[in-house]
Amino acid sequence: TEKPHDSILQPGSLVFKKTKSSVPNLYDYSQWWEWKIGTNWKQPNGPDSNLEGKENYPVVHIAYEDALAYCDWAGRRLPTEAEWEYAARGKQNDALFFWGNEHGKLNEFANTWEGEFPVSNSKMDGFELLAPIKQYPKNDFGLYDMAGNVWEWTSDWYNSSYYQSLKSTNQVTSNPKGAKS
């Protein structure tokens, strides 16, 4: 791959953009994500935006290194993916979601896209894009916003075949640490 032009090698982030019509290929995320130079956690919608009115919204546009630096500052660490899933699920060990197995209740418990993605969002959950914190019920551990809304960082790598390879060892694993790469 050739090196990109220096004009685009500047700090920025991906910003969501609705499309005007249906997209032919949902694997091509470039249809609804736009790279905006100058976008960061202080300017979440690009260089002309700010945090005014967003005091109760989740922080977005955090790089992995930023998350690690915050953890270091706070004397904490990022959770593993397994720890995060355990916390998100609450006490619902055998359920698909922290509220049970009913997918039809998603809009009552999480901020997600409802409608034709990425064209129109019916806002059945009350919000078109991000939702302020604590808009939905907490889980059994008392944690809010563990489903939907924004992405999160964990300390280990995602690998779609990790749990299958773990299963093939025929050993019980407590708090799996995830794939190495």
Side-chain angles (χ1 to χ4, degrees), residues 15-93:
V15 176
F16 180 79
K17 61 176 181 175
K18 286 172 63 172
T19 61
K20 292 182 176 25
S21 59
S22 297
V23 295
N25 178 357
L26 287 175
Y27 290 105
D28 180 7
Y29 61 85
S30 69
Q31 298 170 101
W32 58 85
W33 287 111
E34 176 183 17
W35 179 259
K36 275 196 181 178
I37 294 170
T39 301
N40 58 60
W41 69 271
K42 289 183 181 179
Q43 298 170 304
N45 295 316
D48 296 328
S49 65
N50 59 50
L51 294 175
E52 192 172 315
K54 293 183 173 42
E55 295 83 3
N56 291 318
Y57 280 76
V59 178
V60 293
H61 304 298
I62 299 295
Y64 184 71
E65 294 78 8
D66 295 332
L68 292 177
Y70 176 81
C71 289
D72 188 50
W73 171 84
R76 305 285 185 186
R77 65 173 177 80
L78 289 173
T80 65
E81 187 267 343
E83 290 169 332
W84 194 94
E85 286 295 334
Y86 177 79
R89 192 173 300 280
K91 297 177 183 174
Q92 301 290 327
N93 292 335

Side-chain angles (χ1 to χ4, degrees), residues 162-173:
Y162 174 70
Y163 287 102
Q164 191 63 34
S165 66
L166 193 63
K167 182 180 177 184
S168 70
T169 66
N170 283 329
Q171 297 177 4
V172 175
T173 303

Side-chain angles (χ1 to χ4, degrees), residues 116-146:
E116 184 185 353
F117 183 83
V119 181
S120 61
N121 186 342
S122 65
K123 302 186 270 187
M124 288 177 57
D125 59 17
F127 303 95
E128 182 168 24
L129 300 173
L130 290 181
I133 60 172
K134 295 185 176 180
Q135 298 299 303
Y136 303 95
K138 60 188 172 187
N139 70 12
D140 294 336
F141 290 150
L143 301 173
Y144 289 91
D145 305 319
M146 298 299 284

